[in-house]
PDB file of all heavy atoms in Angstrom:
ATOM      1  N   GLY H1378     -31.022  -0.837   2.984  1.00 94.00           N
ATOM      2  CA  GLY H1378     -29.705  -0.936   2.328  1.00 94.00           C
ATOM      3  C   GLY H1378     -28.900  -2.130   3.046  1.00 94.00           C
ATOM      4  O   GLY H1378     -28.289  -2.951   2.331  1.00 94.00           O
ATOM      5  N   VAL H1379     -29.127  -2.324   4.212  1.00 95.00           N
ATOM      6  CA  VAL H1379     -28.499  -3.563   4.914  1.00 95.00           C
ATOM      7  C   VAL H1379     -29.011  -4.852   4.346  1.00 95.00           C
ATOM      8  O   VAL H1379     -28.269  -5.809   4.048  1.00 95.00           O
ATOM      9  CB  VAL H1379     -28.691  -3.475   6.521  1.00 95.00           C
ATOM     10  CG1 VAL H1379     -28.229  -4.694   7.206  1.00 95.00           C
ATOM     11  CG2 VAL H1379     -27.871  -2.295   7.051  1.00 95.00           C
ATOM     12  N   GLU H1380     -30.331  -4.962   4.233  1.00 95.00           N
ATOM     13  CA  GLU H1380     -30.992  -6.210   3.695  1.00 95.00           C
ATOM     14  C   GLU H1380     -30.567  -6.508   2.262  1.00 95.00           C
ATOM     15  O   GLU H1380     -30.252  -7.575   1.954  1.00 95.00           O
ATOM     16  CB  GLU H1380     -32.487  -6.045   3.839  1.00 95.00           C
ATOM     17  CG  GLU H1380     -33.007  -5.987   5.182  1.00 95.00           C
ATOM     18  CD  GLU H1380     -34.548  -5.696   5.237  1.00 95.00           C
ATOM     19  OE1 GLU H1380     -34.963  -4.691   4.488  1.00 95.00           O
ATOM     20  OE2 GLU H1380     -35.270  -6.366   5.988  1.00 95.00           O
ATOM     21  N   VAL H1381     -30.602  -5.415   1.492  1.00 96.00           N
ATOM     22  CA  VAL H1381     -30.099  -5.542   0.058  1.00 96.00           C
ATOM     23  C   VAL H1381     -28.715  -6.046   0.013  1.00 96.00           C
ATOM     24  O   VAL H1381     -28.305  -6.825  -0.775  1.00 96.00           O
ATOM     25  CB  VAL H1381     -30.363  -4.107  -0.670  1.00 96.00           C
ATOM     26  CG1 VAL H1381     -29.650  -4.195  -2.017  1.00 96.00           C
ATOM     27  CG2 VAL H1381     -31.785  -3.812  -0.817  1.00 96.00           C
ATOM     28  N   THR H1382     -27.714  -5.317   0.828  1.00 96.00           N
ATOM     29  CA  THR H1382     -26.310  -5.732   0.837  1.00 96.00           C
ATOM     30  C   THR H1382     -26.170  -7.150   1.119  1.00 96.00           C
ATOM     31  O   THR H1382     -25.435  -7.859   0.508  1.00 96.00           O
ATOM     32  CB  THR H1382     -25.627  -4.669   1.758  1.00 96.00           C
ATOM     33  OG1 THR H1382     -25.730  -3.513   1.507  1.00 96.00           O
ATOM     34  CG2 THR H1382     -24.068  -5.073   1.768  1.00 96.00           C
ATOM     35  N   SER H1383     -26.861  -7.634   2.110  1.00 95.00           N
ATOM     36  CA  SER H1383     -26.695  -9.074   2.570  1.00 95.00           C
ATOM     37  C   SER H1383     -27.065  -9.928   1.426  1.00 95.00           C
ATOM     38  O   SER H1383     -26.498 -11.000   1.101  1.00 95.00           O
ATOM     39  CB  SER H1383     -27.586  -9.328   3.855  1.00 95.00           C
ATOM     40  OG  SER H1383     -27.057  -8.578   4.938  1.00 95.00           O
ATOM     41  N   LEU H1384     -28.157  -9.662   0.704  1.00 95.00           N
ATOM     42  CA  LEU H1384     -28.595 -10.439  -0.337  1.00 95.00           C
ATOM     43  C   LEU H1384     -27.651 -10.302  -1.618  1.00 95.00           C
ATOM     44  O   LEU H1384     -27.360 -11.374  -2.210  1.00 95.00           O
ATOM     45  CB  LEU H1384     -30.086 -10.114  -0.792  1.00 95.00           C
ATOM     46  CG  LEU H1384     -31.145 -10.397   0.280  1.00 95.00           C
ATOM     47  CD1 LEU H1384     -32.479  -9.722  -0.210  1.00 95.00           C
ATOM     48  CD2 LEU H1384     -31.290 -11.821   0.438  1.00 95.00           C
ATOM     49  N   ILE H1385     -27.211  -9.258  -1.958  1.00 95.00           N
ATOM     50  CA  ILE H1385     -26.403  -8.916  -3.044  1.00 95.00           C
ATOM     51  C   ILE H1385     -25.053  -9.749  -2.749  1.00 95.00           C
ATOM     52  O   ILE H1385     -24.558 -10.387  -3.751  1.00 95.00           O
ATOM     53  CB  ILE H1385     -25.967  -7.499  -3.258  1.00 95.00           C
ATOM     54  CG1 ILE H1385     -27.245  -6.594  -3.714  1.00 95.00           C
ATOM     55  CG2 ILE H1385     -24.869  -7.276  -4.176  1.00 95.00           C
ATOM     56  CD1 ILE H1385     -27.611  -6.806  -5.040  1.00 95.00           C
ATOM     57  N   LYS H1386     -24.454  -9.640  -1.601  1.00 94.00           N
ATOM     58  CA  LYS H1386     -23.244 -10.364  -1.356  1.00 94.00           C
ATOM     59  C   LYS H1386     -23.343 -11.871  -1.432  1.00 94.00           C
ATOM     60  O   LYS H1386     -22.374 -12.445  -1.651  1.00 94.00           O
ATOM     61  CB  LYS H1386     -22.655  -9.838   0.001  1.00 94.00           C
ATOM     62  CG  LYS H1386     -22.344  -8.395   0.184  1.00 94.00           C
ATOM     63  CD  LYS H1386     -21.489  -7.934  -1.213  1.00 94.00           C
ATOM     64  CE  LYS H1386     -20.044  -8.261  -1.120  1.00 94.00           C
ATOM     65  NZ  LYS H1386     -19.332  -7.703  -2.229  1.00 94.00           N
ATOM     66  N   ARG H1387     -24.512 -12.370  -1.236  1.00 94.00           N
ATOM     67  CA  ARG H1387     -24.644 -13.774  -1.325  1.00 94.00           C
ATOM     68  C   ARG H1387     -24.748 -14.203  -2.749  1.00 94.00           C
ATOM     69  O   ARG H1387     -24.144 -15.277  -3.190  1.00 94.00           O
ATOM     70  CB  ARG H1387     -26.101 -14.212  -0.662  1.00 94.00           C
ATOM     71  CG  ARG H1387     -25.862 -14.536   0.930  1.00 94.00           C
ATOM     72  CD  ARG H1387     -27.075 -15.032   1.448  1.00 94.00           C
ATOM     73  NE  ARG H1387     -27.346 -14.341   2.593  1.00 94.00           N
ATOM     74  CZ  ARG H1387     -28.548 -13.983   3.167  1.00 94.00           C
ATOM     75  NH1 ARG H1387     -29.573 -14.368   2.442  1.00 94.00           N
ATOM     76  NH2 ARG H1387     -28.680 -13.411   4.244  1.00 94.00           N
ATOM     77  N   GLY H1388     -25.550 -13.458  -3.640  1.00 93.00           N
ATOM     78  CA  GLY H1388     -25.679 -13.780  -4.958  1.00 93.00           C
ATOM     79  C   GLY H1388     -24.683 -13.195  -5.933  1.00 93.00           C
ATOM     80  O   GLY H1388     -24.454 -13.974  -6.987  1.00 93.00           O
ATOM     81  N   LEU H1389     -24.221 -12.043  -5.688  1.00 94.00           N
ATOM     82  CA  LEU H1389     -23.294 -11.406  -6.608  1.00 94.00           C
ATOM     83  C   LEU H1389     -22.093 -10.867  -5.772  1.00 94.00           C
ATOM     84  O   LEU H1389     -21.983  -9.561  -5.701  1.00 94.00           O
ATOM     85  CB  LEU H1389     -23.877 -10.312  -7.361  1.00 94.00           C
ATOM     86  CG  LEU H1389     -25.100 -10.723  -8.317  1.00 94.00           C
ATOM     87  CD1 LEU H1389     -25.918  -9.583  -8.848  1.00 94.00           C
ATOM     88  CD2 LEU H1389     -24.594 -11.417  -9.524  1.00 94.00           C
ATOM     89  N   PRO H1390     -21.249 -11.669  -5.387  1.00 94.00           N
ATOM     90  CA  PRO H1390     -20.250 -11.092  -4.301  1.00 94.00           C
ATOM     91  C   PRO H1390     -19.157 -10.273  -4.947  1.00 94.00           C
ATOM     92  O   PRO H1390     -18.579  -9.586  -4.339  1.00 94.00           O
ATOM     93  CB  PRO H1390     -19.604 -12.476  -3.785  1.00 94.00           C
ATOM     94  CG  PRO H1390     -19.877 -13.564  -4.796  1.00 94.00           C
ATOM     95  CD  PRO H1390     -21.218 -13.075  -5.323  1.00 94.00           C
ATOM     96  N   GLN H1391     -19.020 -10.281  -6.219  1.00 93.00           N
ATOM     97  CA  GLN H1391     -18.036  -9.430  -6.868  1.00 93.00           C
ATOM     98  C   GLN H1391     -18.446  -7.960  -6.904  1.00 93.00           C
ATOM     99  O   GLN H1391     -17.616  -7.113  -7.061  1.00 93.00           O
ATOM    100  CB  GLN H1391     -17.858  -9.936  -8.374  1.00 93.00           C
ATOM    101  CG  GLN H1391     -18.919  -9.671  -9.370  1.00 93.00           C
ATOM    102  CD  GLN H1391     -20.072 -10.606  -9.361  1.00 93.00           C
ATOM    103  OE1 GLN H1391     -20.280 -11.416  -8.300  1.00 93.00           O
ATOM    104  NE2 GLN H1391     -20.970 -10.521 -10.221  1.00 93.00           N
ATOM    105  N   ILE H1392     -19.766  -7.677  -6.675  1.00 95.00           N
ATOM    106  CA  ILE H1392     -20.242  -6.348  -6.555  1.00 95.00           C
ATOM    107  C   ILE H1392     -19.758  -5.547  -5.408  1.00 95.00           C
ATOM    108  O   ILE H1392     -20.008  -6.146  -4.290  1.00 95.00           O
ATOM    109  CB  ILE H1392     -21.709  -6.168  -6.776  1.00 95.00           C
ATOM    110  CG1 ILE H1392     -22.075  -6.748  -8.172  1.00 95.00           C
ATOM    111  CG2 ILE H1392     -22.168  -4.830  -6.714  1.00 95.00           C
ATOM    112  CD1 ILE H1392     -23.581  -6.805  -8.474  1.00 95.00           C
ATOM    113  N   GLN H1393     -19.114  -4.424  -5.466  1.00 94.00           N
ATOM    114  CA  GLN H1393     -18.561  -3.740  -4.421  1.00 94.00           C
ATOM    115  C   GLN H1393     -19.919  -2.777  -3.939  1.00 94.00           C
ATOM    116  O   GLN H1393     -20.402  -1.944  -4.777  1.00 94.00           O
ATOM    117  CB  GLN H1393     -17.561  -2.777  -4.647  1.00 94.00           C
ATOM    118  CG  GLN H1393     -16.282  -3.679  -5.063  1.00 94.00           C
ATOM    119  CD  GLN H1393     -15.752  -4.545  -3.959  1.00 94.00           C
ATOM    120  OE1 GLN H1393     -15.696  -4.160  -2.838  1.00 94.00           O
ATOM    121  NE2 GLN H1393     -15.535  -5.674  -4.338  1.00 94.00           N
ATOM    122  N   VAL H1394     -20.401  -3.012  -2.660  1.00 96.00           N
ATOM    123  CA  VAL H1394     -21.566  -2.121  -2.141  1.00 96.00           C
ATOM    124  C   VAL H1394     -20.927  -1.127  -1.171  1.00 96.00           C
ATOM    125  O   VAL H1394     -20.326  -1.483  -0.219  1.00 96.00           O
ATOM    126  CB  VAL H1394     -22.537  -3.212  -1.471  1.00 96.00           C
ATOM    127  CG1 VAL H1394     -23.696  -2.299  -0.881  1.00 96.00           C
ATOM    128  CG2 VAL H1394     -23.091  -4.161  -2.385  1.00 96.00           C
ATOM    129  N   VAL H1395     -21.385   0.027  -1.498  1.00 95.00           N
ATOM    130  CA  VAL H1395     -20.975   1.292  -0.639  1.00 95.00           C
ATOM    131  C   VAL H1395     -22.274   1.939  -0.005  1.00 95.00           C
ATOM    132  O   VAL H1395     -23.135   2.225  -0.790  1.00 95.00           O
ATOM    133  CB  VAL H1395     -20.163   2.247  -1.370  1.00 95.00           C
ATOM    134  CG1 VAL H1395     -19.866   3.518  -0.488  1.00 95.00           C
ATOM    135  CG2 VAL H1395     -18.917   1.717  -2.045  1.00 95.00           C
ATOM    136  N   ILE H1396     -22.443   1.814   1.212  1.00 96.00           N
ATOM    137  CA  ILE H1396     -23.609   2.340   1.851  1.00 96.00           C
ATOM    138  C   ILE H1396     -23.507   3.741   2.073  1.00 96.00           C
ATOM    139  O   ILE H1396     -22.510   4.267   2.579  1.00 96.00           O
ATOM    140  CB  ILE H1396     -23.862   1.585   3.260  1.00 96.00           C
ATOM    141  CG1 ILE H1396     -24.017   0.091   3.180  1.00 96.00           C
ATOM    142  CG2 ILE H1396     -25.060   2.147   3.970  1.00 96.00           C
ATOM    143  CD1 ILE H1396     -25.355  -0.470   2.816  1.00 96.00           C
ATOM    144  N   LEU H1397     -24.635   4.490   1.826  1.00 95.00           N
ATOM    145  CA  LEU H1397     -24.597   5.841   1.964  1.00 95.00           C
ATOM    146  C   LEU H1397     -25.440   6.263   3.208  1.00 95.00           C
ATOM    147  O   LEU H1397     -26.630   5.783   3.402  1.00 95.00           O
ATOM    148  CB  LEU H1397     -25.259   6.594   0.786  1.00 95.00           C
ATOM    149  CG  LEU H1397     -24.648   6.320  -0.539  1.00 95.00           C
ATOM    150  CD1 LEU H1397     -25.464   6.991  -1.776  1.00 95.00           C
ATOM    151  CD2 LEU H1397     -23.253   6.757  -0.566  1.00 95.00           C
ATOM    152  N   LEU H1398     -24.817   6.884   4.173  1.00 95.00           N
ATOM    153  CA  LEU H1398     -25.466   7.363   5.511  1.00 95.00           C
ATOM    154  C   LEU H1398     -25.813   8.714   5.513  1.00 95.00           C
ATOM    155  O   LEU H1398     -25.153   9.559   4.941  1.00 95.00           O
ATOM    156  CB  LEU H1398     -24.471   6.852   6.614  1.00 95.00           C
ATOM    157  CG  LEU H1398     -23.954   5.462   6.810  1.00 95.00           C
ATOM    158  CD1 LEU H1398     -22.865   5.451   7.924  1.00 95.00           C
ATOM    159  CD2 LEU H1398     -25.157   4.574   7.147  1.00 95.00           C
ATOM    160  N   ASP H1399     -26.981   8.962   6.161  1.00 93.00           N
ATOM    161  CA  ASP H1399     -27.313  10.334   6.347  1.00 93.00           C
ATOM    162  C   ASP H1399     -26.290  10.969   7.406  1.00 93.00           C
ATOM    163  O   ASP H1399     -26.043  12.195   7.294  1.00 93.00           O
ATOM    164  CB  ASP H1399     -28.683  10.397   6.882  1.00 93.00           C
ATOM    165  CG  ASP H1399     -29.724  10.081   5.764  1.00 93.00           C
ATOM    166  OD1 ASP H1399     -29.415  10.323   4.647  1.00 93.00           O
ATOM    167  OD2 ASP H1399     -30.837   9.520   6.103  1.00 93.00           O
ATOM    168  N   GLU H1400     -25.939  10.237   8.351  1.00 92.00           N
ATOM    169  CA  GLU H1400     -24.958  10.708   9.345  1.00 92.00           C
ATOM    170  C   GLU H1400     -24.253   9.556   9.953  1.00 92.00           C
ATOM    171  O   GLU H1400     -24.739   8.392   9.804  1.00 92.00           O
ATOM    172  CB  GLU H1400     -25.668  11.427  10.479  1.00 92.00           C
ATOM    173  CG  GLU H1400     -26.778  10.633  11.220  1.00 92.00           C
ATOM    174  CD  GLU H1400     -27.531  11.380  12.323  1.00 92.00           C
ATOM    175  OE1 GLU H1400     -27.851  12.554  12.062  1.00 92.00           O
ATOM    176  OE2 GLU H1400     -27.672  10.785  13.382  1.00 92.00           O
ATOM    177  N   GLU H1401     -23.024   9.937  10.574  1.00 92.00           N
ATOM    178  CA  GLU H1401     -22.266   8.775  11.078  1.00 92.00           C
ATOM    179  C   GLU H1401     -22.729   8.439  12.526  1.00 92.00           C
ATOM    180  O   GLU H1401     -22.691   9.350  13.363  1.00 92.00           O
ATOM    181  CB  GLU H1401     -20.860   9.319  11.013  1.00 92.00           C
ATOM    182  CG  GLU H1401     -19.800   8.199  10.452  1.00 92.00           C
ATOM    183  CD  GLU H1401     -18.453   8.870  10.326  1.00 92.00           C
ATOM    184  OE1 GLU H1401     -18.260  10.121  10.447  1.00 92.00           O
ATOM    185  OE2 GLU H1401     -17.630   8.154  10.023  1.00 92.00           O
ATOM    186  N   ASN H1402     -23.164   7.243  12.828  1.00 93.00           N
ATOM    187  CA  ASN H1402     -23.448   6.881  14.162  1.00 93.00           C
ATOM    188  C   ASN H1402     -23.049   5.431  14.342  1.00 93.00           C
ATOM    189  O   ASN H1402     -23.001   4.712  13.340  1.00 93.00           O
ATOM    190  CB  ASN H1402     -24.745   7.231  14.555  1.00 93.00           C
ATOM    191  CG  ASN H1402     -25.836   6.351  13.770  1.00 93.00           C
ATOM    192  OD1 ASN H1402     -25.805   5.078  13.900  1.00 93.00           O
ATOM    193  ND2 ASN H1402     -26.682   6.945  13.009  1.00 93.00           N
ATOM    194  N   GLU H1403     -22.687   4.969  15.501  1.00 95.00           N
ATOM    195  CA  GLU H1403     -22.066   3.710  15.757  1.00 95.00           C
ATOM    196  C   GLU H1403     -23.151   2.556  15.397  1.00 95.00           C
ATOM    197  O   GLU H1403     -22.715   1.561  14.914  1.00 95.00           O
ATOM    198  CB  GLU H1403     -21.831   3.609  17.372  1.00 95.00           C
ATOM    199  CG  GLU H1403     -20.597   4.378  17.745  1.00 95.00           C
ATOM    200  CD  GLU H1403     -20.239   4.027  19.168  1.00 95.00           C
ATOM    201  OE1 GLU H1403     -20.372   2.883  19.607  1.00 95.00           O
ATOM    202  OE2 GLU H1403     -19.827   4.979  19.833  1.00 95.00           O
ATOM    203  N   ARG H1404     -24.443   2.756  15.614  1.00 94.00           N
ATOM    204  CA  ARG H1404     -25.375   1.728  15.340  1.00 94.00           C
ATOM    205  C   ARG H1404     -25.350   1.357  13.961  1.00 94.00           C
ATOM    206  O   ARG H1404     -25.296   0.249  13.351  1.00 94.00           O
ATOM    207  CB  ARG H1404     -26.799   2.095  15.828  1.00 94.00           C
ATOM    208  CG  ARG H1404     -27.901   1.030  15.425  1.00 94.00           C
ATOM    209  CD  ARG H1404     -29.310   1.649  15.937  1.00 94.00           C
ATOM    210  NE  ARG H1404     -29.634   2.886  15.412  1.00 94.00           N
ATOM    211  CZ  ARG H1404     -30.091   3.177  14.404  1.00 94.00           C
ATOM    212  NH1 ARG H1404     -30.494   2.131  13.459  1.00 94.00           N
ATOM    213  NH2 ARG H1404     -30.436   4.320  13.969  1.00 94.00           N
TER     214      ARG H1404
END
């Protein structure tokens, strides 16, 4: 998800990306 988001934001910055986490942790 992190790799995809970085690539999407470079090529299609208008798309809002919301990452889905299994659990909340600082890392």
Side-chain angles (χ1 to χ4, degrees):
V1379 169
E1380 292 169 318
V1381 168
T1382 302
S1383 295
L1384 293 168
I1385 292 286
K1386 295 314 281 183
R1387 280 190 223 141
L1389 298 164
Q1391 73 279 10
I1392 296 176
Q1393 300 298 318
V1394 179
V1395 178
I1396 302 273
L1397 304 175
L1398 300 174
D1399 291 327
E1400 60 183 39
E1401 238 172 338
N1402 66 62
E1403 286 185 41
R1404 179 183 52 90

